[in-house]
Amino acid sequence: MGLGQRAMAAFGFTTAQDGRVMTTTDLDALRAAADDGLFDIDVVAYPDSSLAAKLEEAPASQYRERLRIGGLKLGLDGSPQGRTAWLTQPYLTPPEGKDPHYRGYPAMTDDIVLEAVGDAYSKGWQILAHVNGDAALDQFIAALRQATTRYRPIDPRPVAIHAQTAREDQLDAMRELGVIPSFFSMHTFYWGDWYRETVLGDQRAARISPAASALQRGLRYTSHHDAPVALPSSIAVLASQVTRVTRSGHVLGEQQRVSALDAIKATTLHAAHQYFEEATKGSITVGKLADFVVLSRNPLTVAPEEIKNIQVLETIKEGRTIYPEQQD
């Protein structure tokens, strides 16, 4: 836990997420660490939806010793790179032993998803869902639409985690329902070539993490690193949105590139909004927390291809330097 926190600070993060707490034992460990004063950064935990009935406390907006429960998490499918994401169209190349029509598979039934989303909305709890494939996203949107009709939430801010293969019509639905897409933009670098050659083919691969399409609809999207799947590098997250360059140097979907300013907003202002913390975080503004980083170069003025070489020199949390570590 300590190593993870130090890595987050070294990469410029002052707020981190435990995106799916799977057991009450893990949640108790987080609480114990907080009670012992071990957190230098804020941590927002999202227990798996299966733990909803076991939670000792409801999700809260206030931190207790830098820890709070933000809501619940659903896992609706797997990953495109592992060819376990649930798609509406077949994979370009199915895994060995699968037929040519293989599209991945759901992790939960429609009834379970409807119940989990409805329960969260009835209690006013934020709900996040892991939805890599567009079929999984269809399932999530259907559940959100039903829960919205039934409970009429004022500002629920549900989050579609990854949403890598989101279609244009699904982005329209997300705008209608107030969904925040949180893209795994670094996939364009780490697995972009694999997506083109094996998983999705050129046309679909060029549309993964469709940030520009989201912005055209006025959606506030965020971008994440999904550590430990990839290093929690804020600079890599930033660069991948601006350049969309793969390991081989191929530009994966030039039309989905965004400006450096929009990419920065995805991990600052928009991230704060996703956490319902826009009044205290996300920008250097009078009255907000002094949470910010010092960078070696300005990502707004360097050439896009140079952004990846920017270094985090210092990370400051509420006015105190947490990276580099200060010696007593």
Side-chain angles (χ1 to χ4, degrees), residues 163-184:
Q164 287 199 74
T165 57
R167 306 185 307 265
E168 296 289 307
D169 64 294
Q170 291 177 323
L171 292 172
D172 291 336
M174 283 191 261
R175 181 178 61 180
E176 170 199 343
L177 296 167
V179 180
I180 300 167
S182 185
F183 299 127
F184 192 174

Side-chain angles (χ1 to χ4, degrees), residues 125-324:
W125 293 2
Q126 189 182 32
I127 188 82
L128 279 59
H130 169 116
V131 283
N132 265 311
D134 62 331
L137 186 51
D138 277 339
Q139 186 183 51
F140 187 43
I141 288 171
L144 289 172
R145 183 167 281 121
Q146 181 167 313
T148 298
T149 299
R150 183 173 182 182
Y151 298 107
R152 303 290 181 184
I154 296 175
D155 187 17
R157 301 188 197 181
V159 184
I161 301 293
H162 307 323
Q164 287 199 74
T165 57
R167 306 185 307 265
E168 296 289 307
D169 64 294
Q170 291 177 323
L171 292 172
D172 291 336
M174 283 191 261
R175 181 178 61 180
E176 170 199 343
L177 296 167
V179 180
I180 300 167
S182 185
F183 299 127
F184 192 174
S185 303
M186 288 199 296
H187 263 236
T188 54
F189 174 75
Y190 284 108
W191 291 284
D193 294 318
W194 174 246
Y195 281 9
R196 290 173 56 223
E197 298 163 3
T198 304
V199 178
L200 299 173
D202 285 327
Q203 186 173 359
R204 282 187 291 171
R207 275 193 47 79
I208 66 166
S209 298
S213 291
L215 288 177
Q216 289 166 8
R217 289 164 170 77
L219 284 168
R220 287 188 183 97
Y221 81 88
T222 62
S223 185
H224 58 269
H225 49 73
D226 210 32
V229 174
L231 285 174
S233 172
S234 59
I235 300 302
V237 172
L238 176 60
S240 63
Q241 298 173 69
V242 178
T243 67
R244 293 181 66 95
V245 172
T246 69
R247 290 176 188 258
S248 71
H250 177 83
V251 176
L252 191 67
E254 183 176 4
Q255 71 279 5
Q256 292 300 336
R257 285 172 162 176
V258 300
S259 70
L261 180 58
D262 282 323
I264 289 171
K265 288 179 179 179
T267 55
T268 55
L269 284 168
H270 295 175
H273 173 82
Q274 178 177 307
Y275 287 126
F276 293 86
E277 297 183 34
E278 64 270 23
T280 57
K281 296 178 181 177
S283 62
I284 302 174
T285 306
V286 174
K288 291 189 177 184
L289 298 176
D291 292 2
F292 58 94
V293 296
V294 179
L295 302 177
S296 62
R297 301 178 71 183
N298 185 348
L300 298 178
T301 59
V302 302
E305 61 270 17
E306 289 298 316
I307 292 175
K308 67 180 185 299
N309 298 321
I310 294 174
Q311 296 179 327
V312 174
L313 301 180
E314 186 174 4
T315 303
I316 297 167
K317 171 64 178 165
E318 296 177 26
R320 182 174 72 88
T321 297
I322 58 173
Y323 173 80

